[in-house]
Amino acid sequence: MGLIGLLWLMSCSETVKDAKLEAVQPQIYPDYLGVTIPVNIAPLNFCMADETVQRIDAVITDSHGHELHSQGDESVDFDLDDWHELLAHNPGDSLSVIVSAKYDDGWHTYRSFALYVSPDSIDYGICYRLIAPGYEVWSKMGIYERNLSTFDERALIENTQFEGCVNCHSFNRGNPADMSLHIRGPHGTTLLCHDGGPMAAYNTKTDQTLGFCVYPYWHPSGRYIAYSTNATSQLFHSADPNRVEVFDSASDLQVYDVEKNELLLSPILKQDSVYETFPVFSADGRSIYFCAARAIPEGSYQLDSIRYNLCRIDFDPATGGFGSRIDTIVYAEAQRKSVSFPRPSYDGRFLCYTLSDYGQFSIWHHEADLYLLDLSTAQSRPMDEVNSDDTESFHNWSTNSRWLVLSSRRDDGLFTRPYFCHIDADGRITKAFMLPQRDPRRFYADRFFSFNVPEFIIGPTHFDGHEASRLINDESRKNMGVRKALD
């Protein structure tokens, strides 16, 4: 911080004096008490949960005598450079935070709490969709990227540039050089970038497939993309009249061969009696995990009877061929539960999935929780360290397989916000913390959008929104060929 900035800070700060010492730790928003953070994360600015506070003061110290101080009317705002310097001095160590708050009766100083600095860095950023939590109509939405070391956010594309809905963004292990982005509506298309090449608009629906390709997941080689195609509907139903249910009346899986411009189909993944969805490649690229449920009779609305299991099928990257057998990895149906959003860690050690009472659109299920599957033992356990009393849903791994970003509605029960936790090589999980913002209370109170499908990225996307808009609004599309596996 320069001299002018330092003098300004000193003139705006108020000395904490005659403070009443409290035996409890402060109640702050967001709740950062005792969290483990990446060594390169943005400053964890916070405010008091009690909005009657007149001023807040925070001092962070380490075991080497370094100190970081901030004070403000509503929240603390740590200097970005000083924050990163402090974290760089303390990988694998802890920081002590002392918070004081001023009320009508004067200052109160609370018992300190710790921040643990992991030496494991986090990826450059995350990419997400911002969307209003509505049911029936599209409002303004877009795809955005956020630098996790700063507060910088930029829009990649917004639906003010075209008529429709933007969703299903995916990267190959966080590498923006390989990207798939789906557009729904009158200008529906899938935008594909491969190996940093030019963007192209595709028509992914063929006369041999159910519909458009959605829910993409890249093969580690970059040659293939696993997709599902879903006939999706939504309604309010008798199981809970206050909840909208999004459900599939049919769904299949296919794999797109980027090099040959062919959709690879297999009859074992295209059964009318089974709903298959959410395909993901294993870390070694030789298997596909996916969710599968027994189809309900046509015209039936017993949606609370649809339960998905976690399944796996072999995949041969050399030929694009599928195995002849489907294995059930997590038989959730026997527990009267349902699996969605399987995501394997890139080191091949774990697989995280969402478990809810039924269905596959868990974002509207308040009971939805995250589970961790140890792929070496085939044992699952609830992630109690990060689960809350409200929805935990979509999630994804950092490229070093040490951090998980998860979507949660724990904050207010309505808006989905991104949280992060650390998972070490032995499966030990730390307390989740909310995505830092410069002024968290104002940011989350004034922004009436949910963070949808957060995906890690290893660097800026350099996404050309103007070119994407031109391709979307242009009627021309590239068609995909089809190659069927032998029956």
Side-chain angles (χ1 to χ4, degrees):
M1 179 182 293
L3 178 59
I4 294 178
L6 181 60
L7 291 174
W8 178 87
L9 177 63
M10 293 174 62
S11 66
C12 292
S13 295
E14 180 179 329
T15 302
V16 177
K17 59 182 180 180
D18 302 324
K20 178 182 178 181
L21 299 181
E22 302 288 354
V24 297
Q25 292 178 321
Q27 294 185 17
I28 61 173
Y29 177 83
D31 177 10
Y32 291 141
L33 274 64
V35 298
T36 297
I37 59 176
V39 69
N40 58 329
I41 195 69
L44 267 61
N45 295 342
F46 58 85
C47 56
M48 296 297 290
D50 183 354
E51 297 187 33
T52 65
V53 66
Q54 299 172 3
R55 200 156 182 82
I56 180 173
D57 181 279
V59 178
I60 304 179
T61 57
D62 65 9
S63 58
H64 311 291
H66 301 115
E67 181 178 292
L68 183 60
H69 175 239
S70 181
Q71 188 181 114
D73 290 334
E74 292 189 347
S75 63
V76 292
D77 182 6
F78 298 107
D79 179 80
L80 183 67
D81 293 335
D82 292 344
W83 169 270
H84 283 300
E85 183 178 356
L86 182 65
L87 265 58
H89 283 302
N90 292 278
D93 208 342
S94 63
L95 306 173
S96 177
V97 186
I98 296 179
V99 175
S100 300
K102 185 180 181 182
Y103 294 92
D104 286 340
D105 63 348
W107 284 97
H108 295 246
T109 297
Y110 297 86
R111 186 162 60 89
S112 66
F113 66 89
L115 296 175
Y116 302 96
V117 183
S118 170
D120 295 322
S121 62
I122 204 165
D123 289 325
Y124 161 83
I126 55 174
C127 187
Y128 43 81
R129 180 171 67 159
L130 290 178
I131 182 172
Y135 301 129
E136 298 293 343
V137 297
W138 294 323
S139 59
K140 180 183 177 182
M141 67 173 72
I143 303 294
Y144 302 81
E145 69 175 45
R146 160 69 190 270
N147 185 336
L148 290 177
S149 293
T150 69
F151 302 107
D152 295 338
E153 178 190 76
R154 80 176 187 99
L156 305 188
I157 189 168
E158 297 174 317
N159 68 342
T160 54
Q161 300 169 254
F162 61 93
E163 182 183 358
C165 167
V166 56
N167 66 348
C168 290
H169 56 282
S170 177
F171 309 93
N172 184 9
R173 299 192 176 206
N175 187 350
D178 288 333
M179 180 180 184
S180 175
L181 174 64
H182 184 59
I183 308 297
R184 287 188 295 168
H187 301 283
T189 186
T190 291
L191 300 179
L192 282 179
C193 299
H194 176 50
D195 201 22
M199 187 186 309
Y202 285 83
N203 171 26
T204 62
K205 184 176 181 180
T206 76
D207 58 3
Q208 300 179 58
T209 53
L210 182 64
F212 295 104
C213 291
V214 295
Y215 303 142
Y217 193 94
W218 288 79
H219 191 271
S221 69
R223 177 174 174 177
Y224 303 102
I225 311 173
Y227 287 105
S228 67
T229 179
N230 306 60
T232 302
S233 304
Q234 68 175 10
L235 51 76
F236 292 88
H237 59 93
S238 59
D240 185 344
N242 296 315
R243 180 192 294 155
V244 63
E245 189 66 35
V246 179
F247 65 97
D248 291 337
S249 57
S251 56
D252 298 319
L253 301 186
Q254 56 260 318
V255 170
Y256 176 59
D257 186 332
V258 178
E259 293 182 4
K260 294 187 176 182
N261 188 32
E262 290 180 331
L263 287 172
L264 312 179
L265 309 182
S266 171
I268 197 173
L269 297 174
K270 199 175 184 298
Q271 302 182 59
D272 292 340
S273 61
V274 179
Y275 302 150
E276 305 99 341
T277 192
F278 299 139
V280 293
F281 287 106
S282 59
D284 63 6
R286 303 196 65 84
S287 300
I288 299 174
Y289 292 97
F290 61 98
C291 300
R294 289 181 291 177
I296 60 175
E298 186 176 352
S300 171
Y301 289 100
Q302 294 180 332
L303 304 180
D304 54 355
S305 67
I306 304 176
R307 294 189 170 90
Y308 288 79
N309 299 313
L310 177 64
C311 299
R312 183 182 61 81
I313 189 172
D314 289 338
F315 180 77
D316 186 349
T319 64
F322 301 92
S324 59
R325 186 184 76 180
I326 293 176
D327 295 316
T328 299
I329 306 303
V330 175
Y331 187 36
E333 187 179 6
Q335 310 168 45
R336 297 185 64 79
K337 293 289 184 179
S338 187
V339 174
S340 57
F341 302 127
R343 284 295 185 275
S345 60
Y346 298 122
D347 61 3
R349 183 74 170 82
F350 301 106
L351 184 146
C352 182
Y353 60 91
T354 304
L355 201 67
S356 55
D357 285 348
Y358 57 91
Q360 48 85 21
F361 206 77
S362 51
I363 195 62
W364 292 107
H365 285 245
H366 296 289
E367 81 283 356
D369 281 330
L370 298 184
Y371 278 66
L372 190 67
L373 169 64
D374 187 330
L375 293 173
S376 67
T377 64
Q379 298 298 309
S380 289
R381 73 170 182 90
M383 296 175 64
D384 294 330
E385 300 89 340
V386 301
N387 289 327
S388 71
D389 292 336
D390 216 304
T391 306
E392 273 70 55
S393 187
F394 186 86
H395 47 272
N396 216 337
W397 296 85
S398 63
T399 55
N400 62 5
S401 299
R402 294 283 73 87
W403 298 96
L404 194 77
V405 58
L406 56 117
S407 303
S408 179
R409 289 191 170 175
R410 71 186 65 190
D411 194 31
D412 57 14
L414 178 61
F415 292 97
T416 307
R417 284 157 186 161
Y419 286 73
F420 302 87
C421 69
H422 184 267
I423 303 178
D424 70 13
D426 295 319
R428 288 186 289 262
I429 307 170
T430 63
K431 177 181 174 180
F433 66 92
M434 189 189 288
L435 174 66
Q437 304 294 348
R438 185 175 297 279
D439 188 342
R441 173 169 286 147
R442 287 188 177 273
F443 181 93
Y444 288 115
D446 295 345
R447 199 174 206 183
F448 298 107
F449 290 95
S450 284
F451 289 75
N452 183 251
V453 191
E455 294 267 3
F456 282 105
I457 48 176
I458 61 175
T461 61
H462 303 298
F463 184 86
D464 188 339
H466 295 293
E467 174 63 8
S469 177
R470 185 192 69 79
L471 289 170
I472 294 169
N473 288 300
D474 192 320
E475 296 301 321
S476 62
R477 300 286 186 262
K478 291 186 176 183
N479 292 317
M480 291 182 172
V482 171
R483 176 158 57 96
K484 291 184 179 181
L486 296 177
D487 292 348

